[in-house]
Amino acid sequence: MGPLLAQFAEQHRHRTVGRLRPQPADASSRLLGGQLRESVPAYAATGYVTTTPDLGEFRVQIERALAEGFTAVKIKIGTGPDENAQRVAVTRELLAPDGRLLGTAMPTRPSTRSCGP
């Protein structure tokens, strides 16, 4: 049995057991061996790269996420070393001291380097 088929079989088994032994959603973790933690940390995926490198717009995105109650944010970086440093600095300034900063590095501007010979 391949890994995809094994995963399907496992999911089907859990659905079948769940149908035979209906439980409230918060009690369904018992089917999988019990609750492991009280909560799961969440982060806001924000700080998207826009058509202009305006840090004011970036700042508004971060402030909005923090106002919604998030204490961790994941921002996009990859615009260039200087802009990346500015985006991280703005986010760190807005986050609480115990806030978490995550980043997704992705090239957002065309590269001037050649990939070929």
Side-chain angles (χ1 to χ4, degrees):
M1 177 182 319
L4 187 59
L5 185 56
Q7 181 181 2
F8 174 78
E10 181 71 8
Q11 289 173 350
H12 180 69
R13 183 176 71 83
H14 285 290
R15 277 195 301 269
T16 302
V17 170
R19 285 189 195 112
L20 296 174
R21 298 174 46 201
Q23 298 182 35
D26 62 338
S28 63
S29 66
R30 283 180 267 179
L31 292 173
L32 301 173
Q35 183 173 333
L36 297 177
R37 57 186 60 87
E38 290 295 318
S39 65
V40 177
Y43 62 83
T46 187
Y48 295 103
V49 176
T50 59
T51 55
T52 62
D54 178 21
L55 287 177
E57 187 177 343
F58 175 79
R59 179 181 289 272
V60 168
Q61 291 179 41
I62 304 302
E63 288 171 338
R64 189 175 304 129
L66 297 174
E68 290 176 7
F70 288 97
T71 58
V73 294
K74 181 170 93 170
I75 63 171
K76 303 288 185 187
I77 57 174
T79 56
D82 294 336
E83 288 179 53
N84 292 341
Q86 291 172 348
R87 292 167 72 82
V88 168
V90 166
T91 307
R92 277 278 167 224
E93 173 190 326
L94 296 172
L95 277 173
D98 61 341
R100 299 183 84 181
L101 170 59
L102 299 91
T104 300
M106 50 194 308
T108 55
R109 300 251 170 33
S111 176
T112 57
R113 288 185 260 164
S114 172
C115 294

